[in-house]
Amino acid sequence: MTAQQAVPRTDRTSRQRRVLRRLPWWLAATFLVGIAVIWIFPFLWMLSASLKDNMEMFSGGLKLWPDKFVWDNYARAWNDAHFGRYLINTVVVTVFTVVIVTIRCATAGYVLARYRFHGSKIFLGVLVATLFVPTGYTIIPVVKISMQLHLIDSLGGMILALSGGAYVSAILIYYGYFRQIPRELEEAAVVDGAGFFRTFFSVMLPLAMPVTATVAVLTFITTWNAFFLPLVFTFSRPDLRTVSVGMQAFVGETATDWSGMAAAGVISIVPVVVLFIFLQRSFVEGISGAVKA
């Protein structure tokens, strides 16, 4: 009975594949372009809103082309709202966090993938379990430890707090990639007299550059968009705010500067888009390599 049902299902699948192959290329291209337009429309609308005044922003609806280009929105966001300073703070915090997280996760993933020790599977299971722990549960101990170490109200403390998370997904990506590398490479390095660190930094880490690009992009986006920790660490030091926290400067007690906030949003998202454009190939290769393992 099961075999008789499996044959029609296979035939149906083959028939569907043949129908898809017979579709004209322009129909598939039109469908994909439509999906792409829907996907990027929110960004296009924000870009359009950043060039309108507050009245036109709400009265224009979904219209993308402004009646009058208001470039003062960007000047107001950059100078009056101090987004130039916030952008510098965000770049400093993000770059150092990405470097620390990448090296730490690469080392952890390498050890878990290449070495066997008592409790390694339990340790890996605990790491996976932490994926389900909400961020809010860890903010209190992080802030308390930072206050005891006098790291509050400083960029260094913010960097340590942001880079001190588990970043389990990054560790697992490295873990999956390092598992598929032949052990002969390590053995050859050991024969040449290389120790653990030299083998890791001179042989294994260069091979994992696609994965490193993937982890760097993911960490960059996470740190760049972080709000909760930077907000706590800059309560009494507004000059240390990042761009995500700096958005609050456009919210007043009686009114909100929506067009200025849209301009600030465009300023804050452009570096992320540029980074992804340059690293998109390595990003895809790193993800596919980790999944393949």
Side-chain angles (χ1 to χ4, degrees), residues 23-43:
L23 285 176
W25 67 268
W26 57 266
L27 185 60
T30 303
F31 175 75
L32 293 176
V33 169
I35 295 296
V37 170
I38 295 174
W39 188 265
I40 66 173
F41 183 81
F43 175 74

Side-chain angles (χ1 to χ4, degrees), residues 83 87 224-225 243-244 247 263-272:
F83 245 71
L87 191 64
W224 191 274
N225 296 327
V243 290
S244 57
M247 291 288 181
V266 173
I267 293 174
S268 64
I269 202 175
V270 164
V272 180

Side-chain angles (χ1 to χ4, degrees), residues 52-59 76 256-260:
K52 300 176 181 177
D53 55 31
N54 286 330
M55 186 65 67
E56 184 186 356
M57 182 177 175
F58 290 99
S59 62
R76 191 166 64 256
T256 301
D257 185 2
W258 294 107
S259 57

